[in-house]
Amino acid sequence: MRLGIIAGSGAADFLPGGQTIALAAGPWGETSGPVRQVGIGGHEVLLMSRHGEPGARAIAPHAVNYRANVWAFRELGVDHLLGINTVGGISAGFACGALVLPDQLIDYSWGRAHSYSGTAAFPLQHVDFTTPFCLRLRDLLLGAARRVGVELKSAGTYGVTQGPRLETAAEIDRMERDGCDLVGMTAMPEAGLARELDVSYAICCVVVNQAAGRAPAGVGIHAEIAANLRAGLDQAERLVTAFTEADLHAT
Ligand code: HPA
């Protein structure tokens, strides 16, 4: 199996090691960076850092070339593509440190190059996006989590904001009324583009802070993120390792 991973904030050293492979610019331009190839249990994992390489100027969520990134993974022939996303928790039950496999999303982002459709190579298509994440991949990840005892929430709605600023308390209140459990800035257009290319795609979210207006007075979002990031990513790493080590003949 060949698994692609697009790792978000703080995840540049996700599953460290391996060999770096440069990617030539494709029809949609430059990717966020090279991929790093890591072998786990006889399977191949190809990782890309969504916000660019460590040491380079970080690419803001609205400026990520999602089309180039997803295209590159399709060209690399991955069987599945997994996003690792740090998020804020909105509703009760999505506390800091939680690992979540969202099953739904609401897109509040705007102005991003969000489709391949309408170009000469890609005639207009209205892809079915009723279930935005691959059900088979979600099942495999949930099975892996159960096997190794990683606590993984099996559902949740991810609201995608434009960033890079964080939200106002009123924006988060509105998102909660809309049904969002989590807030982040990067699940779209990544998920929609993967669906356009028929790539099996899901995201694993690490809750690193309480969304704006949800934390007790005096608790700063950035301090929360710093406190929760590493442990959350360690759990996500355990999950990915269990997933790749599993017998996945039926991918
Ligand atoms: N809002 C948006 N994106 C985020 C947050 C947040 O609170 N935390 C991590 N990514």
Side-chain angles (χ1 to χ4, degrees), residues 9 85-89 158-159 161 165-167 172 183-186 206 208-212 221 225:
S9 300
N85 302 53
T86 55
V87 296
Y158 178 130
T161 56
R165 67 164 177 83
L166 293 159
E167 299 70 36
I172 293 297
V183 56
M185 301 176 189
T186 51
V206 179
V208 290
N209 63 280
Q210 295 170 276
I221 282 184
I225 293 175

Side-chain angles (χ1 to χ4, degrees), residues 150-166:
V150 168
E151 219 176 293
L152 178 63
K153 278 188 174 297
S154 60
T157 298
Y158 178 130
V160 190
T161 56
Q162 177 71 353
R165 67 164 177 83
L166 293 159

